[in-house]
Amino acid sequence: MSERTLVLLKPDCIERRLVGRVIARLEDKGLNIIAMKMIRVTPELARRHYAEHLNKPFYPGLESFITRSPIVAMIVEGPEAVAVVRNLVGVTNGLEAAAGTIRGDFSSSQQMNLVHASDSPESALREMDIFFSQAELCPYAPAVKPWLGTHEERPAR
Ligand code: CMP
């Protein structure tokens, strides 16, 4: 089923000039970027986005990290996009992430893991709403659609 998910390219991704390479991986997979902007995360925005981590011991460090340089926020669309993007990104700790994933190939850190991707369709809805208004979404028909799957696999919805 076609889904949308939130992807954030974190400050380390911008600082290390990896934005283009990470975006290329999403595009190569056949995903559609339907919204994108560079912003600076405020402490208030960080607390809203990472509400479930507010009481974790690592939260103060996470807030300093996510607010220290700009981020690139995106909404990515495609078949089963939430799970597909999570698989492309890899597990949280870059040291443990599988080779071939974004974190596995570019990160050696649990905190500075380059990318945030929503962990469920419910989180995706909540997080997309935090970073984007409906007016900022630019959906379009991807030229690669015939190569994303057959009609039997992906009935029109
Ligand atoms: P993300 O997928 O954005 O979700 C929460 C973020 O908190 C995570 O990526 C990391 O950047 C950070 N994080 C998670 N666990 C730890 C930890 N144990 N120590 C430091 N940062 C962490």
Side-chain angles (χ1 to χ4, degrees), residues 8 10 49-50 52-53 58-59 61-62 65-66 86 89 92 103 110-117:
L8 304 178
K10 297 182 184 182
H49 174 61
Y50 282 130
E52 66 179 304
H53 298 306
F58 62 80
Y59 183 77
L62 175 60
F65 162 58
I66 204 73
R86 292 281 290 187
V89 167
T92 302
R103 289 170 175 163
Q110 197 156 33
Q111 182 187 80
M112 288 176 275
N113 57 7
L114 298 164
V115 181
H116 169 84

Side-chain angles (χ1 to χ4, degrees), residues 14-32:
I14 280 76
E15 292 161 0
R16 291 175 57 193
R17 295 165 160 73
L18 291 172
V19 170
R21 292 165 82 178
V22 172
I23 289 175
R25 294 209 174 191
L26 301 172
E27 291 188 323
D28 287 349
K29 184 69 180 173
L31 293 155
N32 255 18

